[in-house]
Amino acid sequence: MEKDSFRVRASRLFDIPQDIPGGLLHIEMTGDREVFVENHKGILELSENEVILSFGKAGKLHIQGSNLAVTAMNPEEIRLSGIIGNVAFGG
Amino acid sequence: MQKIINFFLGSVYVRIETSYPERFLNLCAKFGIAFWDMSNEAIDVIFVRMTVRNFRRLPDVVRKVPCRVHITEKNGLPFFLHRFRKRKALVLGCMAFCVAAWIFTSFVWVIDIEGFSGLDTEKLNENLRKYGLDVGVYASGVDVDAIKNNILIEMPELSYVSVNLNGAYAYVTVKKRSMPPEILSKEIPCDIIADKDGTISDITVKSGTPQVKRGDAVIKGQLLASGYITGRAGTTIITHADAEIRADIWRKVSARMLKKYEKKVYSGREEKVYTIILPKRRIKLSFNSGISYAKCDKIIETTELEFFGGIKLPLALECETFREYKTEASFFTDAEIFDELGQDVHSCLIPGEDAVEKDSDFVTSSDDTFAYATLTVKHNEPIGEKREILKNG
């Protein structure tokens, strides 16, 4: 198992949410209609059925579904809408 | 809220044809170019909506990603206003309207006075004018505090004055001071005398010697309770007489009316004259010199003009209707006289007053011109006023 970074361990020690100092992904979903991802590092692939987001060295986030579209985006946050079927982490 | 902001900033719907849509979007995010409403048309064609300001920054992205950008839709206020760029008169008119609205709302056009029942309106208006608040004055030049202070000094009958300026309106709120009643000091010896004629119905003397009893008829000025008290030993002391005395007061109420009257017969002809009323001016809209009718009714209807949403304008439209009539001599019937005079005499009654006679007594004058009605009424009310006992008398 991969060892947690110093920031993640420190945030766990001080009871701080780990997404803030650790740079981990923060994902919020509204049913299967919308997904909001914080701390991403950009879009790697974009199509109606699949969106792959990078979150740095840690890996990728695969969002699969239909009619997927980017509702809003800035360097740190992205909001996707459509019919979301599957959200998975992958290398 | 965001939709309103976007409407004011203006937005464009852009078609982007590129082999690298992901790269395009990542660069947009990197340069801080916000977009929304993204949709895919094909694998290499996307549509996004962005503000005009962000669209102007798109060349930074386009230089790095091979793509073709095409605007398909323009929305928002900047594009709406852009349509009118050649209609200079319209733009000037709008600007003139805004300037005129700003200038006119800088003046006081309406003075609304509240809480002024039973006080001298003319005196208050005069004082407001004197200290700088009048229709047509520049609102910023009105010294509200000075007006309040000076009016309170000038009008001691007021206990409170507030002046609020709201656009073209000046709201003046006043409150009447409750003056304490003049009470004869309890230390001063006095008698109680009748201040009107009547029959005593109830008498309770708290201090002093009663001079009348229940059922006695008294006349105005008669002593009801004396301030002199004679003790058992025959000594007399002078005190401040105090008593609650009520009496039945009788009075006759009468009314009269002319039996003959002039009946109006309208000819059906009428003329209307319209006038615009400005705060200090009247502009007549009719050009005819005058009304030619010998006898006519004049009916005035004034409509205060309001802007959309009930904002009052300092304008009013007055419509004077002149309705011609001729007169014919007529006489009231006995039944009409009976009804009319009966209502007149009963309308003279004070609340709580009882009519002793059920019906009014009707008589007709000797020359048959007038009809009279009289009614005797009874009212139970407090009687008596205090009169100081002078030491020399």
Side-chain angles (χ1 to χ4, degrees), chain B residues 71-356:
Chain B
I71 296 174
T72 58
E73 209 180 295
K74 296 172 180 174
N75 302 101
L77 192 64
F79 298 108
F80 178 75
L81 294 177
H82 193 66
R83 278 190 241 164
F84 300 106
R85 70 192 183 282
K86 285 185 181 172
R87 301 179 70 174
K88 286 171 188 153
L90 182 72
V91 174
L92 282 173
C94 288
M95 286 165 70
F97 173 77
C98 293
V99 171
W102 180 69
I103 289 171
F104 284 121
T105 51
S106 306
F107 294 91
V108 173
W109 295 118
V110 182
I111 299 175
D112 192 2
I113 300 172
E114 271 182 37
F116 209 69
S117 58
L119 290 165
D120 186 358
T121 319
E122 194 47 50
K123 194 177 171 189
L124 179 69
N125 285 332
E126 198 181 293
N127 278 314
L128 287 172
R129 271 196 293 278
K130 186 176 163 188
Y131 295 110
L133 182 60
D134 196 3
V135 172
V137 298
Y138 186 55
S140 299
V142 176
D143 188 349
V144 172
D145 291 331
I147 291 172
K148 283 195 277 192
N149 294 335
N150 288 319
I151 287 180
L152 282 174
I153 294 166
E154 293 265 340
M155 299 180 73
E157 65 269 33
L158 298 182
S159 66
Y160 170 80
V161 177
S162 88
V163 180
N164 290 308
L165 295 173
N166 186 4
Y169 283 78
Y171 296 99
V172 180
T173 311
V174 292
K175 270 192 185 157
K176 192 178 170 182
R177 189 185 296 279
S178 304
M179 295 292 188
E182 282 182 26
I183 299 170
L184 202 60
S185 170
K186 295 270 183 191
E187 307 299 320
I188 299 170
C190 66
D191 293 328
I192 297 174
I193 56 160
D195 55 346
K196 53 198 121 183
D197 300 347
T199 309
I200 303 295
S201 63
D202 194 17
I203 178 164
T204 311
V205 178
K206 295 173 187 169
S207 168
T209 312
Q211 301 295 316
V212 289
K213 59 183 187 299
R214 194 174 167 187
D216 284 0
V218 294
I219 56 164
K220 187 176 177 181
Q222 186 176 337
L223 187 65
L224 302 178
S226 167
Y228 292 91
I229 301 172
T230 307
R232 282 181 191 166
T235 52
T236 303
I237 55 164
I238 307 173
T239 185
H240 177 98
D242 192 10
E244 279 179 17
I245 310 166
R246 295 185 73 85
D248 289 332
I249 310 296
W250 306 72
R251 70 182 180 113
K252 278 196 185 293
V253 180
S254 62
R256 73 165 191 174
M257 68 181 283
L258 268 170
K259 291 181 82 177
K260 186 182 166 186
Y261 73 103
E262 289 193 328
K263 192 180 175 184
K264 286 180 184 176
V265 180
Y266 289 97
S267 67
R269 291 201 300 164
E270 64 175 41
E271 276 189 40
K272 287 190 175 186
V273 176
Y274 291 94
T275 311
I276 289 179
I277 305 171
L278 296 168
K280 287 185 175 176
R281 205 163 213 213
R282 294 169 66 87
I283 302 167
K284 209 172 182 182
L285 298 179
S286 305
F287 297 103
N288 56 348
S289 55
I291 303 301
S292 55
Y293 306 146
K295 286 181 177 176
C296 61
D297 278 344
K298 184 178 174 183
I299 300 149
I300 300 174
E301 283 176 54
T302 308
T303 313
E304 288 193 343
L305 300 180
E306 289 184 352
F307 206 62
F308 306 111
I311 303 163
K312 276 188 188 169
L313 294 174
L315 295 173
L317 183 68
E318 187 183 89
C319 172
E320 288 173 305
T321 309
F322 296 90
R323 202 170 286 168
E324 192 193 31
Y325 66 83
K326 285 172 185 166
T327 52
E328 282 177 5
S330 296
F331 288 91
F332 288 111
T333 61
D334 286 348
E336 282 173 337
I337 293 169
F338 189 81
D339 282 350
E340 188 72 22
L341 283 178
Q343 282 176 13
D344 281 358
V345 289
H346 280 94
S347 68
C348 296
L349 301 187
I350 304 164
E353 217 170 30
D354 299 322
V356 177

